[in-house]
Amino acid sequence: TWTPEQKTMADRINKCKTYYQILQLNQNDATESNIKKAYRKLALKMHPDKNAAPGARRRGWPLWRQ
């Protein structure tokens, strides 16, 4: 099952065009540590085992796309 928050998150990510948008980071201000932190945070929320929202697996995260 999924929550409305997970569905909203999946929809937002599917509309993003860059990885910075997916991670909600400003490209000019992103540091390596900020990128890693944002990635880990989003990866936990969007992992297919934890998020069954429609569309989550489609774009959910580039690592899980097949």
Side-chain angles (χ1 to χ4, degrees):
T1 64
W2 49 273
T3 65
E5 178 187 0
Q6 290 173 325
K7 172 69 170 132
T8 302
M9 191 181 320
D11 290 341
R12 180 191 65 78
I13 290 172
N14 286 328
K15 293 177 186 174
C16 292
K17 297 188 185 326
T18 68
Y19 292 117
Y20 293 103
Q21 290 174 342
I22 291 172
L23 296 174
Q24 296 181 314
L25 294 173
N26 182 345
Q27 185 172 358
N28 298 326
D29 299 330
T31 63
E32 185 176 348
S33 63
N34 287 346
I35 293 170
K36 286 181 180 182
K37 184 177 179 180
Y39 178 92
R40 287 186 193 114
K41 183 177 177 182
L42 188 58
L44 287 174
K45 290 182 181 180
M46 293 303 296
H47 192 280
D49 291 342
K50 296 185 182 214
N51 188 346
R57 190 168 187 98
R58 180 178 61 147
R59 169 82 191 259
W61 200 247
L63 293 177
W64 301 318
R65 268 193 270 166
Q66 296 182 13

